[in-house]
Each structure stands twice: as structure tokens, then as C-alpha cells.
PDB file of all heavy atoms in Angstrom:
ATOM      1  N   ILE A 278      28.604 161.028 186.704  1.00  0.00           N
ATOM      2  CA  ILE A 278      29.120 159.681 186.654  1.00  0.00           C
ATOM      3  C   ILE A 278      29.091 159.263 185.089  1.00  0.00           C
ATOM      4  O   ILE A 278      28.010 159.261 184.517  1.00  0.00           O
ATOM      5  CB  ILE A 278      28.287 158.796 187.511  1.00  0.00           C
ATOM      6  CG1 ILE A 278      28.429 159.131 188.953  1.00  0.00           C
ATOM      7  CG2 ILE A 278      28.766 157.293 187.275  1.00  0.00           C
ATOM      8  CD1 ILE A 278      27.622 158.261 189.895  1.00  0.00           C
ATOM      9  N   LYS A 279      30.148 158.963 184.613  1.00  0.00           N
ATOM     10  CA  LYS A 279      30.427 158.470 183.257  1.00  0.00           C
ATOM     11  C   LYS A 279      30.391 157.008 183.253  1.00  0.00           C
ATOM     12  O   LYS A 279      31.015 156.255 184.179  1.00  0.00           O
ATOM     13  CB  LYS A 279      31.676 158.983 182.597  1.00  0.00           C
ATOM     14  CG  LYS A 279      31.888 160.465 182.881  1.00  0.00           C
ATOM     15  CD  LYS A 279      30.689 161.330 182.294  1.00  0.00           C
ATOM     16  CE  LYS A 279      30.969 162.845 182.561  1.00  0.00           C
ATOM     17  NZ  LYS A 279      29.744 163.619 182.076  1.00  0.00           N
ATOM     18  N   LYS A 280      29.815 156.351 182.216  1.00  0.00           N
ATOM     19  CA  LYS A 280      29.726 154.902 182.150  1.00  0.00           C
ATOM     20  C   LYS A 280      30.273 154.476 180.664  1.00  0.00           C
ATOM     21  O   LYS A 280      29.936 155.025 179.670  1.00  0.00           O
ATOM     22  CB  LYS A 280      28.392 154.356 182.284  1.00  0.00           C
ATOM     23  CG  LYS A 280      27.689 154.684 183.667  1.00  0.00           C
ATOM     24  CD  LYS A 280      26.260 154.130 183.771  1.00  0.00           C
ATOM     25  CE  LYS A 280      25.686 154.420 185.095  1.00  0.00           C
ATOM     26  NZ  LYS A 280      24.346 153.796 185.256  1.00  0.00           N
ATOM     27  N   VAL A 281      31.166 153.392 180.814  1.00  0.00           N
ATOM     28  CA  VAL A 281      31.605 152.777 179.612  1.00  0.00           C
ATOM     29  C   VAL A 281      31.163 151.245 179.699  1.00  0.00           C
ATOM     30  O   VAL A 281      31.842 150.580 180.645  1.00  0.00           O
ATOM     31  CB  VAL A 281      33.157 152.905 179.477  1.00  0.00           C
ATOM     32  CG1 VAL A 281      33.562 152.207 178.224  1.00  0.00           C
ATOM     33  CG2 VAL A 281      33.465 154.394 179.372  1.00  0.00           C
ATOM     34  N   PHE A 282      30.433 150.783 178.804  1.00  0.00           N
ATOM     35  CA  PHE A 282      30.037 149.392 178.741  1.00  0.00           C
ATOM     36  C   PHE A 282      30.935 148.655 177.805  1.00  0.00           C
ATOM     37  O   PHE A 282      31.218 149.139 176.696  1.00  0.00           O
ATOM     38  CB  PHE A 282      28.623 149.204 178.293  1.00  0.00           C
ATOM     39  CG  PHE A 282      27.639 149.757 179.340  1.00  0.00           C
ATOM     40  CD1 PHE A 282      26.986 151.080 179.185  1.00  0.00           C
ATOM     41  CD2 PHE A 282      27.209 148.992 180.395  1.00  0.00           C
ATOM     42  CE1 PHE A 282      26.173 151.509 180.056  1.00  0.00           C
ATOM     43  CE2 PHE A 282      26.246 149.364 181.377  1.00  0.00           C
ATOM     44  CZ  PHE A 282      25.752 150.730 181.163  1.00  0.00           C
ATOM     45  N   VAL A 283      31.445 147.508 178.274  1.00  0.00           N
ATOM     46  CA  VAL A 283      32.452 146.753 177.544  1.00  0.00           C
ATOM     47  C   VAL A 283      31.850 145.497 176.855  1.00  0.00           C
ATOM     48  O   VAL A 283      31.238 144.668 177.503  1.00  0.00           O
ATOM     49  CB  VAL A 283      33.642 146.349 178.457  1.00  0.00           C
ATOM     50  CG1 VAL A 283      34.697 145.536 177.731  1.00  0.00           C
ATOM     51  CG2 VAL A 283      34.145 147.538 179.202  1.00  0.00           C
ATOM     52  N   ASP A 284      32.173 145.442 175.525  1.00  0.00           N
ATOM     53  CA  ASP A 284      31.616 144.176 174.798  1.00  0.00           C
ATOM     54  C   ASP A 284      32.468 143.019 175.185  1.00  0.00           C
ATOM     55  O   ASP A 284      33.813 143.101 174.968  1.00  0.00           O
ATOM     56  CB  ASP A 284      31.744 144.592 173.284  1.00  0.00           C
ATOM     57  CG  ASP A 284      31.323 143.385 172.430  1.00  0.00           C
ATOM     58  OD1 ASP A 284      31.240 142.242 172.949  1.00  0.00           O
ATOM     59  OD2 ASP A 284      30.968 143.541 171.284  1.00  0.00           O
ATOM     60  N   PRO A 285      31.997 142.033 175.847  1.00  0.00           N
ATOM     61  CA  PRO A 285      32.828 140.899 176.355  1.00  0.00           C
ATOM     62  C   PRO A 285      33.681 140.164 175.269  1.00  0.00           C
ATOM     63  O   PRO A 285      34.611 139.543 175.459  1.00  0.00           O
ATOM     64  CB  PRO A 285      31.856 139.963 177.003  1.00  0.00           C
ATOM     65  CG  PRO A 285      30.561 140.322 176.390  1.00  0.00           C
ATOM     66  CD  PRO A 285      30.630 141.728 176.112  1.00  0.00           C
ATOM     67  N   SER A 286      33.137 140.320 174.027  1.00  0.00           N
ATOM     68  CA  SER A 286      33.868 139.540 172.996  1.00  0.00           C
ATOM     69  C   SER A 286      35.226 140.210 172.491  1.00  0.00           C
ATOM     70  O   SER A 286      35.967 139.487 171.904  1.00  0.00           O
ATOM     71  CB  SER A 286      32.951 139.417 171.708  1.00  0.00           C
ATOM     72  OG  SER A 286      32.602 140.695 171.084  1.00  0.00           O
ATOM     73  N   VAL A 287      35.322 141.496 172.817  1.00  0.00           N
ATOM     74  CA  VAL A 287      36.497 142.185 172.357  1.00  0.00           C
ATOM     75  C   VAL A 287      37.200 142.894 173.581  1.00  0.00           C
ATOM     76  O   VAL A 287      38.476 143.345 173.491  1.00  0.00           O
ATOM     77  CB  VAL A 287      36.231 143.330 171.227  1.00  0.00           C
ATOM     78  CG1 VAL A 287      35.713 142.581 170.055  1.00  0.00           C
ATOM     79  CG2 VAL A 287      35.162 144.310 171.757  1.00  0.00           C
ATOM     80  N   GLY A 288      36.566 143.055 174.701  1.00  0.00           N
ATOM     81  CA  GLY A 288      37.154 143.764 175.896  1.00  0.00           C
ATOM     82  C   GLY A 288      37.215 145.180 175.718  1.00  0.00           C
ATOM     83  O   GLY A 288      36.704 145.787 174.730  1.00  0.00           O
ATOM     84  N   LEU A 289      37.761 145.864 176.567  1.00  0.00           N
ATOM     85  CA  LEU A 289      37.902 147.350 176.644  1.00  0.00           C
ATOM     86  C   LEU A 289      38.775 147.864 175.567  1.00  0.00           C
ATOM     87  O   LEU A 289      40.001 147.236 175.559  1.00  0.00           O
ATOM     88  CB  LEU A 289      38.373 147.793 178.015  1.00  0.00           C
ATOM     89  CG  LEU A 289      38.481 149.420 178.110  1.00  0.00           C
ATOM     90  CD1 LEU A 289      37.195 150.087 178.034  1.00  0.00           C
ATOM     91  CD2 LEU A 289      39.270 149.750 179.367  1.00  0.00           C
ATOM     92  N   ARG A 290      38.326 148.731 174.740  1.00  0.00           N
ATOM     93  CA  ARG A 290      39.125 149.076 173.592  1.00  0.00           C
ATOM     94  C   ARG A 290      39.877 150.440 173.974  1.00  0.00           C
ATOM     95  O   ARG A 290      39.295 151.287 174.759  1.00  0.00           O
ATOM     96  CB  ARG A 290      38.380 149.426 172.291  1.00  0.00           C
ATOM     97  CG  ARG A 290      37.398 148.127 171.947  1.00  0.00           C
ATOM     98  CD  ARG A 290      38.169 146.842 171.921  1.00  0.00           C
ATOM     99  NE  ARG A 290      39.303 146.865 170.847  1.00  0.00           N
ATOM    100  CZ  ARG A 290      40.272 145.912 170.775  1.00  0.00           C
ATOM    101  NH1 ARG A 290      40.381 145.124 171.790  1.00  0.00           N
ATOM    102  NH2 ARG A 290      41.129 146.019 169.827  1.00  0.00           N
ATOM    103  N   PRO A 291      41.100 150.628 173.433  1.00  0.00           N
ATOM    104  CA  PRO A 291      41.735 151.939 173.856  1.00  0.00           C
ATOM    105  C   PRO A 291      41.093 153.111 173.393  1.00  0.00           C
ATOM    106  O   PRO A 291      41.159 154.118 174.268  1.00  0.00           O
ATOM    107  CB  PRO A 291      43.075 151.820 172.858  1.00  0.00           C
ATOM    108  CG  PRO A 291      43.291 150.343 172.745  1.00  0.00           C
ATOM    109  CD  PRO A 291      41.929 149.659 172.720  1.00  0.00           C
ATOM    110  N   TYR A 292      40.206 153.141 172.376  1.00  0.00           N
ATOM    111  CA  TYR A 292      39.511 154.402 172.026  1.00  0.00           C
ATOM    112  C   TYR A 292      38.378 154.677 173.156  1.00  0.00           C
ATOM    113  O   TYR A 292      38.172 155.889 173.381  1.00  0.00           O
ATOM    114  CB  TYR A 292      38.889 154.314 170.682  1.00  0.00           C
ATOM    115  CG  TYR A 292      37.500 153.500 170.589  1.00  0.00           C
ATOM    116  CD1 TYR A 292      36.319 154.106 170.916  1.00  0.00           C
ATOM    117  CD2 TYR A 292      37.558 152.168 170.349  1.00  0.00           C
ATOM    118  CE1 TYR A 292      35.148 153.420 170.863  1.00  0.00           C
ATOM    119  CE2 TYR A 292      36.368 151.421 170.273  1.00  0.00           C
ATOM    120  CZ  TYR A 292      35.138 152.155 170.472  1.00  0.00           C
ATOM    121  OH  TYR A 292      33.995 151.382 170.565  1.00  0.00           O
ATOM    122  N   GLN A 293      37.870 153.638 173.789  1.00  0.00           N
ATOM    123  CA  GLN A 293      36.896 153.820 174.811  1.00  0.00           C
ATOM    124  C   GLN A 293      37.599 154.444 175.996  1.00  0.00           C
ATOM    125  O   GLN A 293      37.090 155.349 176.671  1.00  0.00           O
ATOM    126  CB  GLN A 293      36.279 152.561 175.231  1.00  0.00           C
ATOM    127  CG  GLN A 293      35.356 151.868 174.208  1.00  0.00           C
ATOM    128  CD  GLN A 293      34.831 150.461 174.654  1.00  0.00           C
ATOM    129  OE1 GLN A 293      35.571 149.608 174.823  1.00  0.00           O
ATOM    130  NE2 GLN A 293      33.518 150.429 174.840  1.00  0.00           N
ATOM    131  N   ALA A 294      38.828 153.924 176.463  1.00  0.00           N
ATOM    132  CA  ALA A 294      39.511 154.480 177.539  1.00  0.00           C
ATOM    133  C   ALA A 294      39.941 155.908 177.184  1.00  0.00           C
ATOM    134  O   ALA A 294      40.042 156.739 178.083  1.00  0.00           O
ATOM    135  CB  ALA A 294      40.735 153.592 177.703  1.00  0.00           C
ATOM    136  N   ASN A 295      40.320 156.208 175.914  1.00  0.00           N
ATOM    137  CA  ASN A 295      40.771 157.501 175.538  1.00  0.00           C
ATOM    138  C   ASN A 295      39.511 158.481 175.696  1.00  0.00           C
ATOM    139  O   ASN A 295      39.580 159.573 176.191  1.00  0.00           O
ATOM    140  CB  ASN A 295      41.212 157.525 174.173  1.00  0.00           C
ATOM    141  CG  ASN A 295      41.936 158.878 173.799  1.00  0.00           C
ATOM    142  OD1 ASN A 295      43.023 159.141 174.274  1.00  0.00           O
ATOM    143  ND2 ASN A 295      41.264 159.645 172.810  1.00  0.00           N
ATOM    144  N   GLU A 296      38.333 158.133 175.285  1.00  0.00           N
ATOM    145  CA  GLU A 296      37.226 158.962 175.316  1.00  0.00           C
ATOM    146  C   GLU A 296      36.753 159.205 176.783  1.00  0.00           C
ATOM    147  O   GLU A 296      36.427 160.306 177.195  1.00  0.00           O
ATOM    148  CB  GLU A 296      35.974 158.284 174.675  1.00  0.00           C
ATOM    149  CG  GLU A 296      35.943 158.225 173.084  1.00  0.00           C
ATOM    150  CD  GLU A 296      34.850 157.554 172.521  1.00  0.00           C
ATOM    151  OE1 GLU A 296      33.991 156.909 173.207  1.00  0.00           O
ATOM    152  OE2 GLU A 296      34.807 157.542 171.239  1.00  0.00           O
ATOM    153  N   LEU A 297      36.925 158.214 177.654  1.00  0.00           N
ATOM    154  CA  LEU A 297      36.695 158.408 179.087  1.00  0.00           C
ATOM    155  C   LEU A 297      37.563 159.393 179.763  1.00  0.00           C
ATOM    156  O   LEU A 297      37.157 160.320 180.497  1.00  0.00           O
ATOM    157  CB  LEU A 297      36.782 157.059 179.702  1.00  0.00           C
ATOM    158  CG  LEU A 297      36.492 157.004 181.235  1.00  0.00           C
ATOM    159  CD1 LEU A 297      35.067 157.543 181.523  1.00  0.00           C
ATOM    160  CD2 LEU A 297      36.668 155.572 181.868  1.00  0.00           C
ATOM    161  N   ALA A 298      38.922 159.309 179.321  1.00  0.00           N
ATOM    162  CA  ALA A 298      39.944 160.372 179.830  1.00  0.00           C
ATOM    163  C   ALA A 298      39.430 161.839 179.493  1.00  0.00           C
ATOM    164  O   ALA A 298      39.541 162.656 180.285  1.00  0.00           O
ATOM    165  CB  ALA A 298      41.218 159.969 179.271  1.00  0.00           C
ATOM    166  N   PHE A 299      39.047 161.983 178.333  1.00  0.00           N
ATOM    167  CA  PHE A 299      38.578 163.309 177.890  1.00  0.00           C
ATOM    168  C   PHE A 299      37.255 163.804 178.589  1.00  0.00           C
ATOM    169  O   PHE A 299      37.090 164.895 178.903  1.00  0.00           O
ATOM    170  CB  PHE A 299      38.430 163.423 176.345  1.00  0.00           C
ATOM    171  CG  PHE A 299      39.750 163.685 175.670  1.00  0.00           C
ATOM    172  CD1 PHE A 299      40.474 162.609 175.150  1.00  0.00           C
ATOM    173  CD2 PHE A 299      40.285 164.927 175.583  1.00  0.00           C
ATOM    174  CE1 PHE A 299      41.730 162.851 174.433  1.00  0.00           C
ATOM    175  CE2 PHE A 299      41.424 165.224 175.024  1.00  0.00           C
ATOM    176  CZ  PHE A 299      42.212 164.221 174.326  1.00  0.00           C
ATOM    177  N   GLU A 300      36.343 162.723 178.802  1.00  0.00           N
ATOM    178  CA  GLU A 300      35.168 163.060 179.495  1.00  0.00           C
ATOM    179  C   GLU A 300      35.393 163.552 180.902  1.00  0.00           C
ATOM    180  O   GLU A 300      34.618 164.322 181.459  1.00  0.00           O
ATOM    181  CB  GLU A 300      34.237 161.864 179.510  1.00  0.00           C
ATOM    182  CG  GLU A 300      33.482 161.664 178.127  1.00  0.00           C
ATOM    183  CD  GLU A 300      32.431 160.548 178.238  1.00  0.00           C
ATOM    184  OE1 GLU A 300      31.414 160.866 178.873  1.00  0.00           O
ATOM    185  OE2 GLU A 300      32.501 159.478 177.771  1.00  0.00           O
ATOM    186  N   LEU A 301      36.464 163.038 181.504  1.00  0.00           N
ATOM    187  CA  LEU A 301      36.876 163.336 182.900  1.00  0.00           C
ATOM    188  C   LEU A 301      37.706 164.728 182.879  1.00  0.00           C
ATOM    189  O   LEU A 301      38.134 165.136 184.045  1.00  0.00           O
ATOM    190  CB  LEU A 301      37.613 162.160 183.461  1.00  0.00           C
ATOM    191  CG  LEU A 301      36.909 160.899 183.721  1.00  0.00           C
ATOM    192  CD1 LEU A 301      37.797 159.818 184.324  1.00  0.00           C
ATOM    193  CD2 LEU A 301      35.735 161.149 184.706  1.00  0.00           C
ATOM    194  N   LYS A 302      37.871 165.277 181.670  1.00  0.00           N
ATOM    195  CA  LYS A 302      38.538 166.480 181.501  1.00  0.00           C
ATOM    196  C   LYS A 302      40.030 166.461 182.085  1.00  0.00           C
ATOM    197  O   LYS A 302      40.461 167.482 182.654  1.00  0.00           O
ATOM    198  CB  LYS A 302      37.795 167.610 182.210  1.00  0.00           C
ATOM    199  CG  LYS A 302      36.365 167.772 181.663  1.00  0.00           C
ATOM    200  CD  LYS A 302      35.543 168.906 182.283  1.00  0.00           C
ATOM    201  CE  LYS A 302      34.159 168.975 181.676  1.00  0.00           C
ATOM    202  NZ  LYS A 302      33.449 170.008 182.367  1.00  0.00           N
ATOM    203  N   ILE A 303      40.622 165.359 181.978  1.00  0.00           N
ATOM    204  CA  ILE A 303      42.061 165.215 182.578  1.00  0.00           C
ATOM    205  C   ILE A 303      42.976 166.139 181.706  1.00  0.00           C
ATOM    206  O   ILE A 303      43.959 166.654 182.276  1.00  0.00           O
ATOM    207  CB  ILE A 303      42.486 163.633 182.293  1.00  0.00           C
ATOM    208  CG1 ILE A 303      41.681 162.856 183.264  1.00  0.00           C
ATOM    209  CG2 ILE A 303      43.995 163.560 182.557  1.00  0.00           C
ATOM    210  CD1 ILE A 303      41.992 161.388 183.181  1.00  0.00           C
TER     211      ILE A 303
END
């Protein structure tokens, strides 16, 4: 299970979503 915590002041950043996609080995 992979976790990405989001800073509420800036929201989810594209680089975080990109890292998650690679962690899931898409």
C-alpha cells in the first residue's frame, strides 16, 4: 500500500501523482 500525503496549502502536486504512478509500476 502506497501513501501520498497532501499539503492542504498547495493540494496534490503533479509530481506526487507522477511518482505514485511509477510506484504502482504502471
Side-chain angles (χ1 to χ4, degrees):
I278 296 180
K279 312 301 179 183
K280 297 182 180 182
V281 177
F282 292 97
V283 182
D284 184 341
S286 64
V287 296
L289 180 67
R290 310 310 297 161
Y292 80 86
Q293 292 176 299
N295 193 68
E296 288 177 354
L297 182 60
F299 276 98
E300 284 190 70
L301 295 175
K302 300 178 181 180
I303 291 174

